Amino acid sequence: MMRGTHWMLAPSLAVILAAATSDVAAQEKVIAVTAERFKFTPGVIQLKVGEPVVLELTSLDRKHGFQVPDLKIDETIEPGKVTRLRIVPDKAATYDFHCSIFCGSGHEEMAGQIVVSP
């Protein structure tokens, strides 16, 4: 009788473990952000308080910077590489970001916002 009990528990355990693994992966959202001369895409990044997100920063043309002063973020984005930045917002707010590496005439317009909602 004990053998039959173990057999019945095993499939249930597998379902529970698979569900737990899926929940962890689903909790971390990935947002691709591209940089190229004078713009970021998307220009507005929407996040929610307490939800982990990974920004995958890539450059389409040359070296750029991704600076969010109020979040103490200052990353370099190299062409041909992905810079991963994990964020877990802890309060609702709007944070301005900009390119921190001069990329030519129009550089000062290369900016966007991270909008964190409750």
Side-chain angles (χ1 to χ4, degrees), residues 26-104:
Q27 289 176 2
E28 197 160 85
K29 181 178 175 180
V30 176
I31 299 174
V33 179
T34 58
E36 60 183 311
R37 281 202 169 179
F38 321 131
K39 72 176 182 175
F40 287 100
T41 305
V44 176
I45 301 168
Q46 302 280 343
L47 305 179
K48 292 190 180 210
V49 172
E51 291 186 4
V53 66
V54 173
L55 300 181
E56 290 189 341
L57 309 168
T58 58
S59 171
L60 300 179
D61 54 10
R62 63 179 313 278
K63 187 188 292 190
H64 291 283
F66 184 81
Q67 190 174 66
V68 191
D70 291 337
L71 295 177
K72 297 178 177 44
I73 294 171
D74 190 2
E75 296 290 331
T76 298
I77 310 168
E78 299 278 349
K81 296 182 181 179
V82 177
T83 301
R84 289 179 178 80
L85 179 61
R86 187 172 190 276
I87 302 173
V88 182
D90 62 356
K91 68 176 183 174
T94 298
Y95 303 97
D96 294 324
F97 63 83
H98 63 272
C99 179
S100 57
I101 297 173
F102 184 74
C103 53

